[in-house]
Amino acid sequence: MSIAGASDIPALRVQKTGQFPGLRYGELVERRALRQPLRAAIIHEGAHITYGELLERIHAAAAFLTTQGVRPGDRVVCVSENRPEILTALYACSRIGAVFTPIGIAAPAADVKFILRDLSATTVLVSERSVSTALEAVGTDTEVSIIQLEAESRHGLPSIPVKTAAKVGEIQPEADSPAIIIYTSGTAGHPKGVVLTHSALFFNGVNTLLGLDIASDDVTLVNTPLSHIAALNTLAVATLHKGGSVVIDSKFDAIRCLEQISEYGITTMFAVPSMLTLMAQSPGFAQADTSSLRWILGGGAPMPPELVALWSARSVPVLASYGMTEAGPSISFRRRTDASGKAESSGTPALLTDVRIVSADGTVLPTGETGEILVRGPHTASTYWRDAKATEAAFVDGWLITGDRGLIDADGDLCITGRSKEIIITGGENVDPAEIEHLIASYPGILDAAVVGRPDPLWGEVITAVIVSESNVELNELQDYLRPHLARFKLPRQIERREELPRSPVGKLLRRELSILPPDNS
């Protein structure tokens, strides 16, 4: 019997010119609002926004952005902490044919500036907290408009209203036209823009709703950044498609998270391992009421078996999953009834996803053998934005080369065994070491530098700078030097000093040899 990914499985494709109801990203949410306008769609800081009000806000934002000169095909960047206006702006952009790119509040101005230029963006949406970052990123560029998400601005900026009498028609997109571009860690020291089309996002939604037990009365908690595809598409959007309620918090706080689970009767949420560990270490965890939780979707990094067992003891299954931005992100999910067993499994591939395990020469490997994981499906990205080289390397003959290694076991489950790429995963965040190495190398007195991830029980990996220097370099000094250029989670937390770094005869860094700690790590 063949398994997912075997060559005899036909690829599901959408005609490039095809249009159908629900194709446009956000259209299903609008349709849901017409069917249940009075139900709570979003809850934020205690305030409830009904589906009808959400639809009204989408229409108002779409009309306003049009008056501000946003046209079909324009790229609109949004820099903000988690707040309802992100979803409003996202769906408004989709409605008028613009392409939306969310950026988290932790991004430094240098990253925002790079993305604005890479996209040739026309508009940047900001919150009260991100105004200064956006102003620094935009600088003197008069081609980029700055608009505030909140209905009132203290900075004299145009701001998006929640109501309007103006009407604006909707754009019916082609299936292969871009809807969102999400930036993820690259391999050349700068992020890459992952282009997700309307059809890819539609079929990711189908995959997610078929793969996860999401119910129409679910209340999901979203406290990881909506700039990440998992928070945005796996739970927030899917729950709205199903008609449930989304509780949005601006950031994760372990104690607050436990309080919200009880306060709002949270039934589902997404968490990376460090979040679950911090909650378990919080005072009062033993007495916390988590009885409303039906399951927690785990992702971002391998989930330790003992952590799964701890939450299972509270009758809360932690469902391992595997996904990546380039896949929209859904690739595989565990069933709720399987959560407590076989910790190495990430579940079966989603129904519209083909998974293939190949050797170094591209040969398809049989059940149980470990190799490179390839993914194919109508939900995968079409390209990297303006990066033909990266696109050619990652998308081959319709298959996405994930950069991860694994196997498919006898049960048909996908088991992740490691990474082929050099990406570091810390607290569920992907970090490209090349980006940090480039900056460290410019620090006075540092002669050579490498960045690696060291195992850590809480964060999975901690970013470690391995340096060769003329004089002593203190960690806090290096962090201060890097802070204006890097998001906080990318800052090194450790320094290792060596006489020299391992390199090949042609000077290539032998990063794997750095996984061995030196005898003297002082």
Side-chain angles (χ1 to χ4, degrees):
M1 182 178 178
S2 61
I3 58 174
S7 59
D8 59 342
I9 296 180
L12 181 58
R13 292 290 180 264
V14 181
Q15 292 182 355
K16 288 188 176 182
T17 58
Q19 293 180 346
F20 51 84
L23 166 65
R24 176 172 58 80
Y25 191 48
E27 182 182 348
L28 289 178
V29 175
E30 294 182 20
R31 286 172 168 257
R32 177 62 69 181
L34 293 173
R35 287 156 175 78
Q36 52 177 64
L38 300 182
R39 291 195 62 179
I42 298 173
I43 303 169
H44 177 63
E45 296 181 346
H48 289 60
I49 301 172
T50 68
Y51 275 87
E53 291 168 338
L54 176 59
L55 181 59
E56 188 174 31
R57 292 184 179 205
I58 293 170
H59 281 279
F64 180 77
L65 291 174
T66 300
T67 66
Q68 296 298 303
V70 178
R71 298 291 179 260
D74 285 354
R75 274 78 65 192
V76 175
V77 171
C78 179
V79 186
S80 175
E81 75 281 11
N82 281 4
R83 52 186 312 113
E85 290 88 348
I86 294 179
L87 293 176
T88 300
L90 165 64
Y91 295 141
C93 285
S94 179
R95 184 173 179 83
I96 62 177
V99 183
F100 190 84
T101 291
I103 302 177
I105 193 71
D111 280 3
V112 177
K113 183 176 183 178
F114 169 83
I115 292 172
L116 287 172
R117 290 185 173 181
D118 193 48
L119 290 171
S120 299
T122 63
T123 305
V124 57
L125 309 178
V126 299
S127 68
E128 184 73 27
R129 288 177 53 189
S130 65
V131 169
S132 59
T133 298
L135 288 171
E136 182 180 347
V138 172
T140 58
D141 188 348
T142 58
E143 300 299 314
V144 179
S145 301
I146 302 178
I147 298 174
Q148 191 154 338
L149 290 166
E150 293 96 335
E152 295 183 1
S153 172
R154 295 190 302 172
H155 304 274
L157 298 171
S159 54
I160 297 177
V162 296
K163 293 183 178 181
T164 185
K167 300 295 183 182
V168 60
E170 64 176 305
I171 299 295
Q172 289 297 332
E174 300 296 334
D176 64 346
S177 59
I180 59 176
I181 299 176
I182 305 285
Y183 276 77
T184 185
S185 293
T187 56
H190 59 74
K192 298 179 297 185
V194 179
V195 179
L196 291 165
T197 65
H198 288 272
S199 65
L201 293 164
F202 175 86
F203 284 107
N204 177 78
V206 173
N207 250 356
T208 302
L209 289 175
L210 290 175
L212 284 176
D213 178 24
I214 297 176
S216 59
D217 57 352
D218 269 331
V219 181
T220 193
L221 174 60
V222 176
N223 53 17
T224 54
L226 285 167
S227 55
H228 289 194
I229 199 71
L232 180 63
N233 272 357
T234 307
L235 282 190
V237 171
T239 300
L240 292 174
H241 285 173
K242 203 67 195 273
S245 301
V246 179
V247 177
I248 296 178
D249 201 358
S250 61
K251 64 178 182 178
F252 169 76
D253 176 87
I255 296 175
R256 175 63 181 149
C257 185
L258 290 170
E259 292 172 347
Q260 288 171 321
I261 291 170
S262 174
E263 179 182 357
Y264 295 111
I266 300 298
T267 60
T268 64
M269 62 178 289
F270 172 82
V272 299
S274 58
M275 292 169 60
L276 298 182
T277 300
L278 289 169
M279 290 165 68
Q281 293 174 350
S282 298
F285 175 70
Q287 293 77 36
D289 181 7
T290 58
S291 59
S292 62
L293 279 171
R294 296 197 299 115
W295 47 259
I296 296 173
L297 182 66
M303 192 67 65
E306 60 273 17
L307 199 54
V308 175
L310 185 152
W311 283 88
S312 292
R314 298 177 71 97
S315 300
V316 180
V318 177
L319 310 182
S321 66
Y322 175 58
M324 57 190 304
T325 303
E326 290 86 343
S330 301
I331 295 175
S332 71
F333 301 106
R334 293 219 72 189
R335 289 182 295 271
R336 196 166 40 146
T337 53
D338 296 341
S340 60
K342 201 164 63 171
E344 70 278 9
S345 168
S346 292
T348 55
L351 283 183
L352 303 182
T353 306
D354 300 338
V355 174
R356 174 181 285 176
I357 310 297
V358 301
S359 63
D361 63 3
T363 302
V364 179
L365 297 174
T367 298
E369 291 198 21
T370 300
E372 180 101 4
I373 301 171
L374 307 186
V375 172
R376 181 179 68 176
H379 55 97
T380 60
S382 59
T383 183
Y384 291 113
W385 177 258
R386 292 178 177 172
D387 196 335
K389 184 177 179 181
T391 299
E392 183 179 355
F395 302 93
V396 179
D397 296 330
W399 292 90
L400 167 63
I401 300 174
T402 67
D404 292 318
R405 295 179 59 78
L407 59 88
I408 295 181
D409 67 15
D411 295 328
D413 285 359
L414 176 62
C415 303
I416 312 301
T417 60
R419 294 196 300 277
S420 302
K421 294 180 180 178
E422 297 172 344
I423 296 298
I424 299 167
I425 302 180
T426 178
E429 299 276 6
N430 287 1
V431 177
D432 171 26
E435 176 186 8
I436 309 171
E437 289 166 352
H438 173 73
L439 293 167
I440 292 177
S442 65
Y443 187 87
I446 291 183
L447 305 176
D448 202 0
V451 171
V452 296
R454 293 279 183 235
D456 183 82
L458 177 58
W459 303 109
E461 291 179 301
V462 291
I463 297 173
T464 303
V466 185
I467 64 171
V468 178
S469 60
E470 294 176 325
S471 56
N472 188 48
V473 176
E474 297 297 335
L475 177 61
N476 64 326
E477 295 173 346
L478 181 61
Q479 289 177 332
D480 288 343
Y481 179 79
L482 298 173
R483 192 167 281 113
H485 309 286
L486 296 172
R488 185 172 57 185
F489 65 84
K490 296 181 181 179
L491 293 174
R493 303 298 178 184
Q494 299 175 350
I495 282 185
E496 290 179 12
R497 300 168 181 85
R498 298 200 179 190
E499 293 297 320
E500 62 179 11
L501 298 184
R503 293 188 179 275
S504 70
V506 296
K508 182 178 180 180
L509 179 67
L510 302 177
R511 197 179 300 276
R512 289 189 179 182
E513 293 188 16
L514 290 174
S515 62
I516 303 172
L517 289 171
D520 181 10
N521 194 31
S522 61

